[in-house]
Amino acid sequence: MGSRFDITVVAENETEGNSYIDMAIGEIQRIEKLISSWDQNSQTSAINRNSGIIPVQVDPELFQLIERAIAISKLTDGAFDITYASMDRIWKFDGSMTEMPTPEAIQASVSKVGFEHLILNKADQTVYLDLKGMKIGFGAIGKGYAADKAKALLIANGAKAGIINASGDMNTWGTQPSGEDWEVGIVNPMNKNKVFAVLPLHQGAVVTSGDYEKYVKFNGIRYTHIINPQTGYPATGIISATVFAPKAELADALATSIFVMGIDVGINRINQLPNIECILIDEQGNIYSSDHIKIEKE
């Protein structure tokens, strides 16, 4: 998935621990073959190749993942959208951009984006993109989903505790050998070599999306690498969004969405969802949190 996965398990001995880790790696590789748009043999690539042509029959697992992705799109009013992969890549965050793209180019870049063009047929288990050239991608949900599946497999096979870290998508279960909860540090976006908060995590997931490395600045405005799939403009205002949720898949999608929704709308939406919390940091370093998280400043 183009991402680093770190797997930690609590086990009786090294042999058992290595067995669990191999099991998790196998599951992550299986998920990658299902959802990767880079692998021409994946079902996801088949959906993209046949956009505007014919529906593609897929495994129930992929069908259900896409169903949940559409549900999150509706929940976030389109701030999350797996058809973002249809976007023209007109924004560059490698230092090569010297001027803003034109409004016309930005509008054209999202002309084939829109989850409402993703047609599912439950009876036939088919997926159809009804515009030629449309694509889906799981960049904002796939790592979290893989972490969830690896965790579930290990629990089913008797692993008492552990952490799946999918490039910052942290998914935990059980406790440390000492009996204490796992603790997760949230990176300080003003100094990425430090953490600004350490929080206990028990039986859940935490995901942080940050733009402190990938952004461009024009006319004094900082544009992040997270782009609004509806408008084609990069998100502004937030530099770090951390979401706590029962599953990494949902936390992953919501952390990305909040950048697009903004602080007020994002926190309001999170406050309406059970068992989900967030911590946001704006460009000035101000910290905001949802109703049930209290930040004690040292």
Side-chain angles (χ1 to χ4, degrees):
M1 297 178 204
S3 301
R4 177 189 174 99
F5 281 74
D6 292 290
I7 301 158
T8 304
V9 291
V10 176
E12 295 297 325
N13 53 60
E14 190 174 344
T15 301
E16 182 183 75
N18 285 335
S19 172
Y20 283 139
I21 289 170
D22 288 342
M23 196 180 292
I25 291 169
E27 180 70 349
I28 292 161
Q29 289 172 334
R30 183 188 72 79
I31 298 295
E32 181 173 40
K33 287 179 182 174
L34 189 68
I35 69 172
S36 173
S37 52
W38 303 330
D39 181 352
Q40 290 305 304
N41 297 315
S42 74
Q43 292 182 12
T44 299
S45 289
I47 293 167
N48 292 345
R49 264 197 314 274
N50 287 284
S51 63
I53 304 172
I54 54 167
V56 174
Q57 191 170 49
V58 299
D59 290 350
E61 180 179 5
L62 183 59
F63 189 89
Q64 289 160 18
L65 178 61
I66 294 171
E67 270 189 321
R68 293 196 300 277
I70 291 174
I72 297 169
S73 295
K74 292 175 180 175
L75 178 72
T76 61
D77 299 323
F80 172 85
D81 192 331
I82 61 169
T83 69
Y84 80 93
S86 313
M87 238 184 279
D88 294 333
R89 303 291 189 264
I90 61 172
W91 296 89
K92 311 289 184 190
F93 299 94
D94 57 5
S96 63
M97 282 188 79
T98 56
E99 60 183 8
M100 286 266 292
T102 65
E104 294 76 17
I106 293 169
Q107 187 176 9
S109 73
V110 292
S111 62
K112 293 179 181 176
V113 176
F115 66 92
E116 62 275 8
H117 294 284
L118 182 49
I119 313 299
L120 302 186
N121 183 319
K122 199 159 192 171
D124 297 333
Q125 295 282 289
T126 60
V127 181
Y128 180 53
L129 297 168
D130 71 5
L131 293 177
K132 184 78 174 168
M134 275 191 81
K135 295 176 183 176
I136 59 171
F138 295 95
I141 197 172
K143 296 196 310 293
Y145 176 62
D148 286 338
K149 293 293 286 185
K151 169 183 166 179
L153 181 65
L154 294 187
I155 290 172
N157 282 275
K160 295 181 178 66
I163 304 174
I164 310 289
N165 177 3
S167 291
D169 292 15
M170 307 286 287
N171 207 343
T172 71
W173 72 102
T175 60
Q176 298 182 55
S178 64
E180 296 177 285
D181 282 337
W182 299 107
E183 291 190 328
V184 176
I186 300 174
V187 171
N188 181 346
M190 301 299 192
N191 182 348
K192 64 180 181 175
N193 296 315
K194 294 184 177 181
V195 298
F196 85 87
V198 177
L199 298 113
L201 194 63
H202 181 67
Q203 286 294 104
V206 57
V207 172
T208 298
S209 285
D211 82 325
Y212 28 90
E213 290 179 335
K214 293 182 180 179
Y215 64 90
V216 291
K217 220 170 187 179
F218 294 116
N219 303 319
I221 300 174
R222 194 173 194 264
Y223 296 94
T224 82
H225 72 287
I226 297 171
I227 296 173
N228 185 329
Q230 296 172 305
T231 66
Y233 282 86
T236 61
I238 297 173
I239 61 172
S240 175
T242 298
V243 174
F244 300 82
K247 289 186 174 290
E249 173 190 314
L250 182 58
D252 201 356
L254 289 176
T256 303
S257 304
I258 287 174
F259 266 83
V260 174
M261 290 190 284
I263 290 168
D264 292 340
V265 175
I267 288 181
N268 181 268
R269 194 62 48 91
I270 293 296
N271 282 336
Q272 296 175 46
L273 301 174
N275 305 315
I276 298 174
E277 304 295 337
C278 70
I279 299 172
L280 311 179
I281 303 176
D282 70 12
E283 294 171 354
Q284 286 74 45
N286 299 312
I287 300 171
Y288 306 82
S289 63
S290 52
D291 285 352
H292 299 105
I293 290 184
K294 300 295 177 242
I295 304 293
E296 294 178 8
K297 295 179 181 177
E298 295 183 2

